Amino acid sequence: MLPSISINSQGLFLSFVAGSFFYLSYRINEQIGSWAVYSQGISLIFLPAGIKHLSILLAGGWGALGCFAALFLLANEFWHGIHPFIILLYCFFSTIATWLGVWMSLKILGISNDLANLKFIHLPQMDFITATVHAVVINVFFIITSMKSTHAFSNYFAMLLGDYIGSFIVLTLFWVMLLVFSKSPIKN
């Protein structure tokens, strides 16, 4: 972190960066095309899931806050006719489910909080755990709030697949960036 900036300012900056990347990834995801859309709120390739996963993995609560705020802005666009409180709950449960999935995957796989022992083989495993937790929580939320009451199992599997693929793409790109920059002759 930058020593001249307070911890809270750094956190807010991380939230802004995470939210901005989440928002942009959602807009990029829209450009993928309708072939990847399973139903409203469920895409078979969902890049924002990866941004949220990575943001929480790297920035913890600050990353979650930024993604939550961006999701709330976006959800008000794509959930028409839904009460704002329900949208707020959707955003909360979506963010908490991802955070829980990241936390569980770190514990289950024995990865330290500083990610020092993270290996590439962990990425698909972490991704599967996080995508599974998120898909279960959000589809239960959809059923309870009657946002989606039909095709519960197919909605679950479509969301699981979309979150898994989107997250794996983002995590793999991040891993490649780490490899490229760690081999760079320019060091801090």
Side-chain angles (χ1 to χ4, degrees):
M1 298 278 174
L2 302 172
S4 62
I5 300 175
S6 73
I7 297 296
N8 287 338
S9 296
Q10 289 176 27
L12 291 174
F13 177 73
L14 288 173
S15 290
F16 176 76
V17 170
S20 297
F21 275 112
F22 185 90
Y23 185 88
L24 290 172
S25 69
Y26 183 85
R27 295 300 181 205
I28 290 168
N29 215 86
E30 287 180 321
Q31 302 306 312
I32 290 175
S34 60
W35 63 269
V37 174
Y38 178 76
S39 73
Q40 186 181 21
I42 302 174
S43 178
L44 298 177
I45 299 174
F46 196 60
L47 298 173
I51 296 296
K52 187 169 32 161
H53 186 156
L54 185 61
S55 296
I56 292 170
L57 188 63
L58 297 178
W62 291 110
L65 178 63
C67 292
F68 169 82
L71 180 57
F72 185 70
L73 287 173
L74 291 163
N76 279 291
E77 289 180 22
F78 61 77
W79 291 119
H80 302 289
I82 304 292
H83 193 278
F85 182 71
I86 298 297
I87 292 173
L88 186 70
L89 286 177
Y90 162 74
C91 297
F92 174 78
F93 285 118
S94 178
T95 304
I96 290 297
T98 300
W99 197 344
L100 178 62
V102 168
W103 177 81
M104 286 175 59
S105 66
L106 292 174
K107 296 299 178 202
I108 290 169
L109 298 172
I111 300 168
S112 61
N113 288 338
D114 66 359
L115 308 178
N117 61 336
L118 180 68
K119 296 178 174 63
F120 183 79
I121 192 66
H122 292 133
L123 297 182
Q125 297 167 344
M126 289 177 68
D127 188 9
F128 182 75
I129 293 167
T130 302
T132 300
V133 171
H134 185 266
V136 167
V137 169
I138 292 306
N139 280 287
V140 167
F141 177 79
F142 284 162
I143 292 166
I144 289 171
T145 60
S146 300
M147 290 175 75
K148 293 184 183 297
S149 56
T150 60
H151 312 293
F153 286 111
S154 60
N155 287 343
Y156 162 77
F157 286 113
M159 182 176 285
L160 174 62
L161 178 67
D163 285 2
Y164 181 82
I165 291 172
S167 196
F168 190 69
I169 290 169
V170 169
L171 292 174
T172 301
L173 288 173
F174 180 72
W175 186 266
V176 168
M177 283 180 19
L178 286 177
L179 289 177
V180 168
F181 288 116
S182 70
K183 301 209 186 295
S184 172
I186 300 172
K187 298 287 182 188
N188 290 341

